[in-house]
Amino acid sequence: MTTHRLIQNFRRSQGLLWAGPDFNADVLERTLLKLGVSLRRVESVSASDLDPDRDIVFLDADQPINPAPLLLPGANLTAAPVIGIVGVEAPSRLKLLAEAGATAILRKPIQAATVYSALFLGVNNHRRLKSAETRLAIGDRKRRGRRFLIKAVVALVQTRGLSDDDAYAELRRESMRRRLDLEEFCESLFQVDSNFPVAWPAGLAILTSHDRGGSAHAQDTDAGGRDGGDDDDIHGSSGRPDQARSA
Amino acid sequence: MARLRVPIGILISSDGPYSVVSKSMLCGALLGIAEAQAEHRDLEIEPIIANPRGDNALYSTMAAEMLANGIRHVVGCYTSSSRKEIIPLFEKADALLWYPSHYEGFESSSNVVYTGAVANQHLLPLVEYLLSYAGPKAFCIGSNYIWAWENNRILREAIGPHGGTVVAERYFPVGCTEFGQAIDAILAARPSFVFNTLIGESSYQFLRDLRAACRMCGIDQAREIPVASCTLSEPELAAIGPDAVDGHITSSVYFSSLDTPENDRFVKAYQAQFPDGPVVSADAEATYLAVRLLARAVTEAGTDEACSVKRAVALRPITAPQGEVRVDAETMHASLTPRIACSTLDGGFTVLREATRPVPADPYLIRNSSRFGAVAIRPVLRVAS
């Protein structure tokens, strides 16, 4: 597990205050200045312009603001930490902050003593969620690729007479040799130009994007494999390769 | 011109677990009032003294009473927990608390003027000194509250990048005087130094017990396992007693042994006014400084209204016993001169190292720490009781 480092010094960060013109930012601005954070008023925010390592959005939930621009297309997490500013603690206002992905709040009127805590929690909670989201995405990708791993193991068991443990070990060894994720490697085995499992293991003829730009050793191995390959045999032994990819 | 009459609250625990230091703070405040009264003829200071006896609830009650009676300026508090307890009252009443003690930082209330040192003025210089002259292995022992927790965190993060480690952190209730197990653990761990954040009686008893235990084992404690802190001051050396008084490393911005004309004058005036003690300390000087700054600012502002006084206090520096001191208008913390000293058998300190000029306070350590907190530089053992 990756150790999560907490940010505790916010010097050179930039606060973006997304609030109405009547919001009194004096206390917030003065306090942020002491913490080395500048504050700039904005009328709107675009996720693509946000720098997660620099920007912190202060969102006034009492304004009729659409928080959608805080999210990059397809993302569930805001592009930068969002700290909600709450005046009216009504569900409709709090819902806005939940939708905006606020990871900390400041109550109105803002008290100087609460700003550092809100920054600390807001920024570090956002980093924790981002880290969790990244790990989730990797997990999802591996889960999807698991089908190809199972197909590859079955193919080796059926065509090479290996036990499933030995088949798995061989696939893993080969994926490590190619510096590829196991699932990604197995998916590549079922590409149209692959001759797996006929050429397995010595004459494996898979050209991955990694191999094309990879070492001379890997390219030599691939070239040998291509010479002896037979796509029809592969597909014949394992059914329709595209079936798994499209699953 | 009519004299400006200003009531000033003095909220200092001259009884309770940290009364030794607090009594010297009270003396510093009273000396400051006497001198300010003599210097500012247009000012009439009316001190209202309250003794919360180290009880945080009493701090709150007494501060509320002072503010309700129209007092706009209170000098006092020693522990951070007592200060935190009463700050909301000052913010609500828009009054000013003049806080005259070193503390751990990470605070900057616009209703507090901080005349004591923060971590970049006491702890970080101490860390640098200890790594150079003691070694990389720290054993932390402290009173179980924010002062100890935060200082230990800063110490841990400061020594980590230089190869230092904290082998253990032990926390004890304020007032606790039973340290047998902790001392056994120290002798077993044989750290390069002990970082002591115990306060009051706890600290004195620990220093006595550690010295005695080391003697039993034939260990020259001051040389082989020195104890370092940011709190130990002259009146506390007297409380420790002659058997264990010497060889302790302290980081502070003031020692009574400083050889400057202003300090010479201050110490003589203090001793003349309080011949029976307690002796002068950094906290006494910080309290004296707070009162002098307050009196000058009120006089120059022509009012005791908090906003005007705050503006006035940051306008120009003051020559204090420790040297030039300037209050920063942004953070309301003072620029102070860091010093490292070693306690001596005669109950004083010998200054070993000092900064060449006052160092601005960095209460949030934004200029003195990395962006990220430390990872995996945790003590092998952390025990709180």
Side-chain angles (χ1 to χ4, degrees), chain B residues 47-253:
Chain B
I48 291 99
I49 299 170
N51 174 10
R53 305 193 294 276
D55 180 342
N56 285 349
L58 278 179
Y59 273 96
S60 190
T61 310
M62 291 173 167
E65 197 175 323
M66 285 177 173
L67 297 174
N69 290 332
I71 295 174
R72 287 170 161 178
H73 298 275
V74 175
V75 178
C77 293
Y78 175 68
T79 61
S80 287
S81 48
S82 63
R83 184 188 70 256
K84 298 270 184 199
E85 190 78 24
I86 64 173
I87 283 178
L89 302 172
F90 285 77
E91 290 180 340
K92 189 176 175 189
D94 199 18
L96 278 183
L97 171 65
W98 298 72
Y99 179 60
S101 183
H102 49 268
Y103 82 114
E104 64 287 340
F106 288 87
E107 182 183 293
S108 183
S109 168
S110 50
N111 292 87
V112 181
V113 181
Y114 304 81
T115 61
V118 291
N120 74 301
Q121 295 164 319
H122 54 56
L123 181 51
L124 296 186
L126 179 64
V127 167
E128 196 185 324
Y129 178 85
L130 291 170
L131 287 172
S132 300
Y133 293 98
K137 201 169 150 188
F139 191 111
C140 298
I141 184 163
S143 293
N144 194 3
Y145 79 115
I146 182 66
W147 165 254
W149 305 335
E150 191 57 23
N151 275 307
N152 287 344
R153 180 195 68 80
I154 296 168
L155 175 93
R156 199 166 56 241
E157 294 191 4
I159 65 173
H162 301 283
T165 52
V166 174
V167 293
E169 286 178 27
R170 293 286 180 95
Y171 297 96
F172 295 88
V174 174
C176 172
T177 51
E178 176 49 59
F179 299 107
Q181 285 186 344
I183 288 170
D184 289 345
I186 290 169
L187 294 178
R190 289 304 290 266
S192 313
F193 61 92
V194 173
F195 181 54
N196 174 20
T197 45
L198 293 164
I199 60 164
E201 280 299 336
S202 303
S203 178
Y204 320 145
Q205 189 62 46
F206 168 72
L207 291 169
R208 285 190 290 263
D209 291 353
L210 178 64
R211 179 67 56 92
C214 284
R215 277 204 187 107
M216 294 274 288
C217 302
I219 296 170
D220 180 350
Q221 180 262 309
R223 196 174 61 79
E224 296 178 47
I225 315 177
V227 178
S229 81
C230 301
T231 47
L232 197 63
S233 61
E234 290 84 346
E236 296 182 293
L237 295 180
I240 292 168
D243 284 348
V245 70
D246 60 314
H248 307 306
I249 308 295
T250 296
S251 178
S252 179
V253 293

Side-chain angles (χ1 to χ4, degrees), chain A residues 87-118:
Chain A
V88 181
E89 287 182 292
S92 59
R93 302 292 83 199
L94 296 172
K95 180 170 170 250
L96 172 77
L97 288 181
E99 288 170 355
T103 43
I105 63 163
L106 283 166
R107 285 265 298 124
K108 288 183 188 174
I110 292 176
Q111 300 283 315
T114 62
V115 174
Y116 182 75
S117 304

Side-chain angles (χ1 to χ4, degrees), chain A residues 3-11 13 30-31 33-36 52-54 111-113 116 127, chain B residues 91 106 108-110 153 157 330-332 362 364-376:
Chain A
T3 308
H4 185 63
R5 296 192 74 185
L6 293 172
I7 292 182
Q8 55 191 17
N9 184 348
F10 302 96
R11 192 180 185 198
S13 294
R30 274 206 314 272
T31 311
L33 196 64
K34 293 176 190 174
L35 300 169
D53 293 325
R54 180 199 60 193
Q111 300 283 315
Y116 182 75
R127 282 168 51 80
Chain B
E91 290 180 340
F106 288 87
S108 183
S109 168
S110 50
R153 180 195 68 80
E157 294 191 4
E330 207 60 64
T331 62
M332 282 290 128
D362 182 10
Y364 290 94
L365 293 178
I366 62 172
R367 292 182 295 276
N368 290 280
S369 69
S370 73
R371 178 168 169 76
F372 294 97
V375 165

